[in-house]
Amino acid sequence: MSVEQITGDDDRIGDYRALTDVELRTRWEPPNGLFIAEGELVLRRALRAGFRLRSVLIDAKRVEQLADLPLAGVPVYAADQATLEEITGFHVHRGVLASFHRKPELSADAILASARRIAILEDINNHTNLGALFRSAAALGMDAVLLSPSCADPLYRRSVRVSMGEVFAVPYAQLHPWPDGLDRVREAGFTILALTPAADAVPIQRLTAAQRARPALLLGAEGPGLTAKALRASDAAVVIPMHRGVDSLNVANAAAVAFWELSRSEL
């Protein structure tokens, strides 16, 4: 591993500039086929998942942490914390950032052909919630995730970090058009279950065996929930029963409960 000390004005670390500027990163990363991994654990998981490493930016004090990795030919740039903060716009307390090449996007049809339990997300554009959802999906038996076109990028740095790299373990694709594409999900043999606090929704633990056979759990954004069109396109409305008058949970927490319920027979 060859390490180069850099300064904040080095042109070679353009991938890492202004990492807290969501709009800028959205314009830069997906169009250029890149994403940023934050932290040693996430970097290692991305490598295990087969993503191609473009470069590493690391706290000079932590270089030895990566000594066992196959980094021959990969630029590794090192700097002190002040320089890292100048470049990225935040305190890099995990000490390691890496720029990776994205893989070719999967198609919704490919996912529908191979999965048995899926989550479908509508308008979820909070990166923290999205990362937590992917972590729960990986841990609690969901085979894949489909995203409405308005969802946030699962490979945005914060989503990847919150998922602890588990976003790499769960196949995902965008579902076009929305919400008409839900018809393709049903045609592929799935039962679309809309998670909602509606009064007439079926308690999720009372689903029939047929409804559980190939479930597609439909989840909406924090606050507004699912749109009326998405609800009409579902096969059944389901609810997580609650106590003390609480009507709903954070979408990531609700998803974890529902994922567990849908896969508990195999856990």
Side-chain angles (χ1 to χ4, degrees):
M1 176 175 62
S2 176
V3 181
E4 295 185 63
Q5 293 285 332
I6 54 134
T7 60
D9 60 356
D10 196 309
D11 292 336
R12 295 171 297 175
I13 41 81
D15 288 3
Y16 303 98
R17 293 200 183 279
L19 292 184
T20 59
D21 187 329
V22 177
E23 183 179 351
L24 174 63
R25 302 312 303 184
T26 300
R27 293 199 311 268
W28 170 257
E29 292 178 19
N32 287 286
L34 304 173
F35 72 91
I36 300 298
E38 181 182 352
E40 179 187 352
L41 180 125
V42 173
L43 183 158
R44 290 177 181 275
R45 286 186 174 169
L47 287 173
R48 284 202 299 271
F51 287 93
R52 185 161 58 94
L53 186 58
R54 175 175 159 96
S55 67
V56 176
L57 178 62
I58 188 168
D59 185 333
K61 296 178 181 178
R62 301 195 183 204
V63 169
E64 291 306 313
Q65 292 179 201
L66 307 185
D68 63 313
L69 292 179
L71 299 180
V74 176
V76 178
Y77 305 117
D80 58 29
Q81 269 291 343
T83 302
L84 293 179
E85 188 166 348
E86 176 188 347
I87 293 166
T88 64
F90 72 103
H91 180 71
V92 187
H93 62 276
R94 287 175 176 81
V96 181
L97 295 164
S99 177
F100 280 91
H101 295 276
R102 293 177 183 237
K103 295 180 180 180
E105 293 184 4
L106 295 174
S107 70
D109 289 335
I111 281 177
L112 293 172
S114 60
R116 189 176 135 209
R117 281 186 297 265
I118 63 173
I120 306 178
L121 312 183
E122 182 186 43
D123 296 346
I124 294 184
N125 47 39
N126 179 291
H127 295 101
T128 299
N129 284 338
L130 190 62
L133 265 159
F134 267 87
R135 188 175 185 185
S136 294
L140 298 171
M142 305 307 283
D143 297 321
V145 175
L146 294 179
L147 307 157
S148 75
S150 56
C151 281
D153 176 15
L155 291 184
Y156 180 69
R157 176 181 58 88
R158 188 177 301 126
S159 296
V160 174
R161 185 191 70 211
V162 172
S163 80
M164 295 298 289
E166 297 301 344
V167 67
F168 309 137
V170 182
Y172 66 87
Q174 283 198 356
L175 182 62
H176 298 279
W178 185 265
D180 294 344
L182 291 170
D183 291 338
R184 285 160 50 208
V185 178
R186 185 178 297 104
E187 291 164 3
F190 289 87
T191 301
I192 302 173
L193 306 172
L195 192 64
T196 170
D200 60 347
V202 176
I204 194 168
Q205 73 271 26
R206 295 182 189 170
L207 289 170
T208 67
Q211 291 171 318
R212 290 172 177 273
R214 293 192 78 196
L217 185 69
L218 184 57
L219 297 147
E222 190 80 19
L226 291 166
T227 62
K229 286 184 177 180
L231 285 168
R232 286 196 297 269
S234 65
D235 297 306
V238 297
V239 65
I240 299 170
M242 300 188 195
H243 297 275
R244 295 185 175 88
V246 177
D247 64 349
S248 64
L249 298 173
N250 166 278
V251 64
N253 294 336
V257 174
F259 294 164
W260 180 86
E261 174 60 32
L262 293 174
S263 62
R264 64 184 168 87
S265 62
E266 298 179 9
L267 293 173

